[in-house]
């Protein structure tokens, strides 16, 4: 809770201290709102969950490696390269995931901006009978964001599949070495 409040306070302080012509005139309001909501959501909901999950995974994997090497010391020969491959997969995933998150955030900002502008000008839109045009523009922005979000969402099953393949390989080598 304190980390979330501190991040919000520091971000708000930086935002209020920003230059009007250099920041507020060039940065859409939707992007500013997007940044605040995304960071707050990550701290409030995602970070505690990921921290607990990471601690569980680290303890599980370390105990599994310890058990395997005690039962079959020859497994150290395969566990070291497997661990190296896992680090490479993680590095590749982190790089690509970060870029996909950036692209998803960029595609979300125009959507927020458009919603805000539509709400502010709702009376004019109705008066000019431009509702269908605004709806069409909203659908285009929504589809663009959905494409970026889908790419980001598919990144997680991709790394899970790679790690599963690596796990199956280690499992096969483990069972083969134990049986021999």
């Amino acid at each position: 809770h304190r980390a979330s409040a501190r991040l919000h306070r520091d971000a708000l302080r930086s935002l209020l201290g920003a230059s009007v012509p250099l920041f507020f005139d060039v940065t859409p309001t939707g992007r500013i709102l997007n940044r605040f909501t995304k960071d707050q959501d990550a701290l409030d909901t995602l970070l505690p969950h990921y921290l607990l999950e990471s601690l569980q995974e680290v303890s599980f994997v370390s105990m599994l490696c310890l058990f395997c090497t005690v039962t079959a010391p020859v497994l150290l020969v395969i566990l070291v390269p497997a661990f190296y491959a896992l680090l490479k997969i993680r590095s590749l995933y982190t790089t690509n995931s970060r870029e996909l998150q950036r692209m998803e955030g960029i595609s979300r900002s125009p959507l927020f901006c458009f919603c805000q502008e539509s709400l502010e000008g709702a009376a004019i839109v109705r008066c000019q009978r431009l509702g269908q045009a605004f709806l069409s523009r909203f659908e285009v922005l929504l589809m663009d964001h959905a494409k970026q979000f889908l790419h980001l969402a598919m990144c997680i099953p991709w790394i899970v599949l790679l790690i599963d393949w690596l796990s199956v390989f280690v499992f096969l080598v483990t069972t083969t070495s134990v049986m021999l």
Side-chain angles (χ1 to χ4, degrees), residues 2-151:
R2 284 185 286 159
S4 178
R6 182 176 178 203
L7 175 78
H8 187 269
R9 184 183 62 242
D10 291 348
L12 186 61
R13 186 176 295 138
S14 295
L15 183 67
L16 293 175
S19 167
V20 171
L22 295 177
F23 182 73
F24 287 105
D25 288 347
V26 250
T27 308
T29 309
R31 187 173 295 161
I32 296 169
L33 288 172
N34 177 24
R35 196 72 230 167
F36 264 94
T37 57
K38 189 72 170 175
D39 289 348
Q40 282 303 125
D41 180 53
L43 272 179
D44 292 340
T45 59
L46 299 177
L47 190 61
H49 172 72
Y50 288 152
L51 182 63
L52 177 64
E53 195 173 286
S54 296
L55 289 173
Q56 288 174 340
E57 291 297 320
V58 165
S59 63
F60 176 73
V61 168
S62 59
M63 289 297 116
L64 185 66
C65 289
L66 180 68
F67 176 73
C68 289
T69 54
V70 166
T71 46
V74 82
L75 283 180
L76 283 175
V77 174
I78 194 64
L79 285 179
V80 172
F83 186 70
Y84 177 76
L86 181 66
L87 289 178
K88 288 305 240 182
I89 290 170
R90 183 183 174 276
S91 173
L92 183 65
Y93 168 77
T94 304
T95 304
N96 290 324
S97 176
R98 186 178 303 126
E99 186 64 22
L100 288 171
Q101 286 175 355
R102 185 188 67 78
M103 290 168 49
E104 189 261 339
I106 288 172
S107 72
R108 190 181 331 112
S109 292
L111 189 62
F112 280 179
C113 257
F114 184 77
C115 288
Q116 180 190 7
E117 291 167 1
S118 298
L119 289 173
E120 288 174 357
I124 295 171
V125 170
R126 285 190 201 109
C127 186
Q128 298 291 324
R129 298 175 194 235
L130 295 172
Q132 190 59 41
F134 269 70
L135 184 60
S136 297
R137 176 71 180 139
F138 177 75
E139 288 173 352
V140 167
L141 290 170
L142 187 62
M143 288 306 293
D144 182 46
H145 177 258
K147 288 176 194 172
Q148 299 300 327
F149 185 78
L150 179 66
H151 289 136

Side-chain angles (χ1 to χ4, degrees), residues 150-163:
L150 179 66
H151 289 136
L152 180 61
M154 293 312 297
C155 195
I156 294 170
W158 175 78
I159 190 169
V160 168
L161 183 66
L162 286 178
I163 291 174

